[in-house]
Amino acid sequence: MAAAQIAKKLKDRRQRQTLVEIFKKIDKEGNGYISLSDYFNIFTEHEIDLSENEYKRVLGMAGPDGIIRKDDFIKIIRSSPYFFGIFDKNKDGVVTETEMTTRAELAFKALDKDNSGYISEKELTKLSSRLTDEDMGVILKKFDVDGDGKLSFEEFRMMLDRNASKKKKNNKK
């Protein structure tokens, strides 16, 4: 009996720690709170439609100013079977940062071989063997918004989002 309680406490502590890390990742300014749109964007980034019930539930749990503080974020997540149903991929009752990683983040990490936080033109060539160096140069020039000769994660995600939009458009024709 005591062992089961200890295991549950460890699992709860591990889950809280993971949720704090996820919150920090969303709270880009580091001000201790996120907006409702930041929260809903979690689902958008994973291409998941939020159910109307979950949307209303979160609206009701957020502060009257539409702000979600860290502890509120943890309460919202912990009380959401919807969230766990989507993100707890191995069904162990704990949502990990890995389970919350988007396809774009996985692709970016796979290409960023030197873990610099950027994708260089050389690393970008690993994207496809069918594209020439000239093609890669054009892609880099088009999506390298700040002109530093490499793609940040945001620039890379913009490139993927644009590609996904084109595919959706072509599939509707």
Side-chain angles (χ1 to χ4, degrees):
M1 180 82 163
Q5 288 175 333
I6 291 170
K8 183 181 179 345
K9 283 185 180 182
L10 286 173
K11 182 176 155 184
D12 288 348
R13 191 177 307 143
R14 190 176 61 163
Q15 180 65 78
R16 180 176 172 73
Q17 186 177 352
T18 299
L19 293 176
V20 167
E21 291 305 314
I22 292 167
F23 180 84
K24 285 179 184 176
K25 194 172 167 184
I26 299 167
D27 179 17
K28 291 177 178 54
E29 292 84 35
N31 53 18
Y33 61 86
I34 62 173
S35 68
L36 281 166
S37 64
D38 291 333
Y39 178 83
F40 295 134
N41 198 35
I42 295 170
F43 297 91
T44 304
E45 286 181 352
H46 286 85
E47 300 174 8
I48 297 167
D49 293 326
L50 198 60
S51 74
E52 189 173 334
N53 287 341
E54 184 68 3
Y55 180 79
K56 287 178 182 176
R57 188 183 78 77
V58 172
L59 284 177
M61 291 183 78
D65 52 2
I67 296 295
I68 301 172
R69 286 168 182 65
K70 180 176 62 177
D71 289 338
D72 295 331
F73 175 80
I74 292 168
K75 283 179 196 170
I76 288 169
I77 300 296
R78 282 191 163 168
S79 66
S80 175
Y82 185 82
F83 184 90
F84 277 91
I86 290 169
F87 292 110
D88 185 13
K89 295 184 173 70
N90 64 0
K91 306 298 181 209
D92 66 351
V94 176
V95 174
T96 64
E97 261 189 278
T98 303
E99 290 171 318
M100 291 292 302
T101 303
T102 64
R103 285 183 221 139
E105 289 170 311
L106 291 172
F108 186 85
K109 287 176 185 176
L111 290 171
D112 182 20
K113 296 291 186 199
D114 62 359
N115 295 316
S116 64
Y118 294 94
I119 298 175
S120 66
E121 188 169 354
K122 182 180 176 187
E123 290 169 327
L124 192 60
T125 60
K126 307 288 188 238
L127 192 59
S128 174
S129 60
R130 292 185 284 189
L131 297 174
T132 66
D133 288 346
E134 186 179 326
D135 294 333
M136 289 302 165
V138 169
I139 290 170
L140 187 62
K141 192 172 192 173
K142 184 174 186 172
F143 292 101
D144 180 18
V145 176
D146 60 10
D148 63 358
K150 52 193 175 188
L151 295 179
S152 66
F153 175 68
E154 290 304 317
E155 291 167 333
F156 179 75
R157 193 170 73 184
M158 185 175 58
M159 179 182 80
L160 293 181
D161 289 347
R162 188 154 185 201
N163 189 36
S165 295
K166 282 183 181 180
K167 282 183 180 180
K168 283 182 183 178
K169 205 182 267 188
N170 288 338
N171 287 340
K172 288 182 180 180
K173 290 181 181 179

